[in-house]
Amino acid sequence: MAKYGEGDKRWIVEDRADGANVHNWHWAETDCLPWSRNFFEKSLSNLTILDGEGNLHIKTKNVDKVDGEAYVNVRKGKIIPGYEISVVLSWEGEAKDAEGQSLLKVEGTVEVPYIADENADEDPELRVTVKDEGPVGKRLKDAMVAKGKPLIFQKVKEYVAAMAKGGPAKDDLEAKKVAPKNGNNQSGGTPSKEVVVEKEVKNEVKKEKKGFKTITSTERFSCRAKDLYEILMDENRWKGFTQSNARISKEVGGEFMIFDGSVTGRNLELQDGKLIVQKWRFGSWPDGIDSTVRLTFDEPEPGVTTVKLTHTDVPEEDRYGNATVVENTERGWRDLIFHKIRAVFGFGI
């Protein structure tokens, strides 16, 4: 499971409150840990386990701790939950004799140390402790394990199912899925997306430039222009400096996929060591929206290359209403592409 702020190659659209999602390019993300705490506090507190069966009375008390991380990512309309959490709750029990007189009252804890998306289809480990380890205390503990375990596992399954549907982001996501469709259906009548259709879409977008931005940047590298061009057009080198999957065609009209499929597009114009023009699309963008990337290479002096980036038709908002697309796209070019190339290939000046 990808962890917050640990070199995740995927770019995330929505900043977390703790600021750990530094790359912030294409994922719409919701922090679900507070919601997870609330879920387990409601579902596992004051839960009756036994109510007189075998003269035993057992119930849970409070959820004392929910630690770890939990979030929901949305990419291309697909909900992708991620979580690794532990839950600790307290319980109490009482054993009575046949006349209903109390024999012993005990308290203990239940710990579910690892609830994670990677084993969502499996029952997690459950640990039960009791403060009184005498015969009656052990009997209450065994009853808590036998009867409480299935009930607690059922609540865990309900949590897993809720996270799979989007957790706290479910209602918001469902509302926002509808929004982009009306304004971005220009080419929806034809399944084919040939160059002619693409030009028609581009002309229509030009009529309503409001809501789109252009990103420009000029960067210097200590290398030949041909070397930098080859790095940007070679899928194995992309995999190397981004530590993510890539598939790149070197032919005009050929398609590419980078950053584990987060960015897709195709080549419009290629001049070896001089020019790259491509259509770029991020999975979190509204349907029908493509941007154009133009990279021009120049060698003002031997061994020094300047590359000029012009990235046009970048939408200000993604399909979920996050208004940080332009800022985070600029950051992605700078931190995840240009700076990474300098660091990995030693092209810094």
Side-chain angles (χ1 to χ4, degrees), residues 146-207:
K147 299 296 184 178
K149 192 174 183 179
L151 291 177
I152 293 172
F153 283 174
Q154 179 58 39
K155 300 302 180 183
V156 171
K157 288 178 181 178
E158 291 174 7
Y159 170 79
V160 170
M163 285 291 287
K165 293 178 181 178
K170 178 184 175 184
D171 294 340
D172 189 43
L173 293 173
E174 288 179 349
K176 289 179 180 178
K177 280 179 183 177
V178 182
K181 293 183 179 179
N182 293 333
N184 296 298
N185 202 27
Q186 300 101 317
S187 59
T190 0
S192 173
K193 286 191 178 181
E194 302 298 334
V195 176
V196 176
V197 177
E198 173 198 307
K199 288 180 180 177
E200 292 174 358
V201 172
K202 183 176 180 180
N203 290 335
E204 289 185 47
V205 171
K206 281 185 177 179
K207 294 178 184 178

Side-chain angles (χ1 to χ4, degrees), residues 12-32:
I12 302 173
V13 169
E14 185 176 76
D15 292 338
R16 278 179 53 195
D18 62 9
N21 293 320
V22 295
H23 298 327
N24 292 336
W25 209 356
H26 81 282
W27 290 82
E29 179 171 291
T30 300
D31 180 10
C32 299

